[in-house]
Amino acid sequence: MNVIAAVGLLVLSSLMTFPVFAEGGDRTITIGSADFPESQLLATIYAKALQAKGVKTETKLSIGSREVYMPALRDGSIDLIPEYTGSILTYLDRNAKPQNAQEVNDALKKALPAGVSMLTPSPAQDADTLVVTSATASKYGLKAIPDLKDVAANLVVGASPEWRGRWEGMVGLKEVYGLTFKSFRPLDVTGPLTLSALLHGQIDVANLTTTNPALARNKLVSLEDPKNLIPAQNIVPIFATQRIDDKVSAILNAVSAAMTTEDLVQMNGRLADHDDIGAIAADWLTAHKLN
């Protein structure tokens, strides 16, 4: 094979992996989600917003954790996924220790791998939080994470399997707050298994999220994080750079700008009540005149 032919095949292979579409061209955007309801809802909102403006989409919901869907984003299996600024930053750079939203955003832009970009983060935020029942909080006098230090050895933590090795999870709890727990129980991603285990006494401390309606409904206590172990967690679309044009970016930026944390709490409440995810997404878009 001569050099010119070899170069041609290389270019063709690259285009097959990441097709580049002209502005307004005929394209299908594949939107993925993590394996928990809020991520699935956000992906559905993105898809419906794009469809309303004439952009073809397909969704691949519940792909899994970042360890699964970030490679999928890089190899072209998906084009776009909703993310959380602080969590994706600490996944990409374990040494990152920014605290406020702007510091997180700036660090994330630098940490994203080649071929992956981010749009403008939404003011809406859904942060990880350590949660205990009101009974546990009362028994041990728990209001903030440092209050766990003298009792952690007697307590079981429940969270996603990946949380065991994450900075904002068990690693940081030990290094920043000096906490060594009795044991760690791998469950789901801030979801119903973790909640059920907490409510039924199978775990004592749970990793849930601040927009989970179960916190208020079950009078759970979200422990304060005075050392800012858990960074800002604003919603942001992450995408394969060559797959998203200006039209798609503008549509998704409008969605992000309109969304609030209160919206997430309200929509998560509907999800918890088993409302249809497509109906929830459509209702939100209609309320904000985005469909």
Side-chain angles (χ1 to χ4, degrees):
M1 181 184 295
N2 62 37
V3 173
I4 294 176
V7 170
L9 282 174
L10 243 126
V11 171
L12 179 59
S13 173
S14 173
L15 289 173
M16 289 175 66
T17 303
F18 285 111
V20 181
F21 292 93
E23 179 74 20
D26 184 17
R27 63 198 183 283
T28 298
I29 303 298
T30 302
I31 304 168
S33 86
D35 54 352
F36 59 94
E38 185 178 273
S39 181
Q40 297 159 16
L41 174 63
L42 290 167
T44 303
I45 288 173
Y46 292 169
K48 287 184 176 294
L50 291 171
Q51 291 164 9
K53 302 298 182 182
V55 179
K56 297 178 182 178
T57 69
E58 64 174 330
T59 56
K60 292 184 178 180
L61 304 183
S62 300
I63 294 173
S65 66
R66 288 182 186 90
E67 288 76 5
V68 178
Y69 65 69
M70 283 303 291
L73 188 64
R74 298 186 71 181
D75 70 17
S77 300
I78 59 173
D79 304 315
L80 169 75
I81 195 162
E83 256 295 359
Y84 300 83
T85 53
S87 289
I88 183 61
L89 173 60
T90 54
Y91 167 78
L92 294 169
D93 181 5
R94 284 192 58 182
N95 295 317
K97 305 292 189 299
Q99 296 180 352
N100 64 48
Q102 190 58 55
E103 290 176 347
V104 171
N105 295 344
D106 292 343
L108 178 56
K109 288 177 184 177
K110 296 177 182 178
L112 288 171
V116 177
S117 301
M118 60 185 280
L119 293 176
T120 303
S122 171
Q125 184 172 182
D126 184 6
D128 285 84
T129 182
L130 276 186
V131 173
V132 297
T133 63
S134 55
T136 298
S138 177
K139 179 179 180 180
Y140 296 112
L142 305 177
K143 293 182 179 179
I145 295 176
D147 298 334
L148 289 165
K149 189 163 186 180
D150 293 334
V151 298
N154 301 318
L155 304 179
V156 177
V157 177
S160 68
E162 298 80 16
W163 214 65
R164 187 200 301 266
R166 288 184 176 164
W167 171 256
E168 72 272 26
M170 300 299 286
V171 175
L173 288 171
K174 184 173 184 178
E175 293 189 23
V176 174
Y177 286 108
L179 301 181
T180 300
F181 289 92
K182 179 180 180 181
S183 62
F184 174 84
R185 183 170 181 179
L187 295 164
D188 57 2
V189 184
T190 70
L193 292 179
T194 303
L195 175 63
S196 177
L198 180 68
L199 296 178
H200 289 89
Q202 297 163 337
I203 60 174
D204 306 294
V205 183
N207 168 222
L208 295 176
T209 57
T210 53
T211 62
N212 190 329
L215 272 65
R217 292 180 180 183
N218 295 280
K219 298 181 180 180
L220 301 177
V221 177
S222 176
L223 300 179
E224 297 174 10
D225 177 19
K227 295 185 178 180
N228 296 302
L229 168 64
I230 301 171
Q233 303 276 25
N234 296 84
I235 309 298
V236 63
I238 301 291
F239 63 96
T241 308
Q242 293 181 307
R243 290 284 292 171
I244 304 300
D245 64 20
D246 290 343
K247 177 181 179 180
V248 172
S249 297
I251 295 167
L252 296 177
N253 279 335
V255 168
S256 293
M259 190 167 291
T260 67
T261 300
E262 291 73 20
D263 289 340
L264 291 175
V265 174
Q266 188 271 334
M267 290 190 289
N268 279 324
R270 290 185 63 183
L271 287 171
D273 292 334
H274 307 292
D275 282 6
D276 178 72
I277 195 168
I280 299 171
D283 289 348
W284 184 86
L285 290 165
T286 297
H288 292 83
K289 300 179 180 179
L290 291 170
N291 61 1

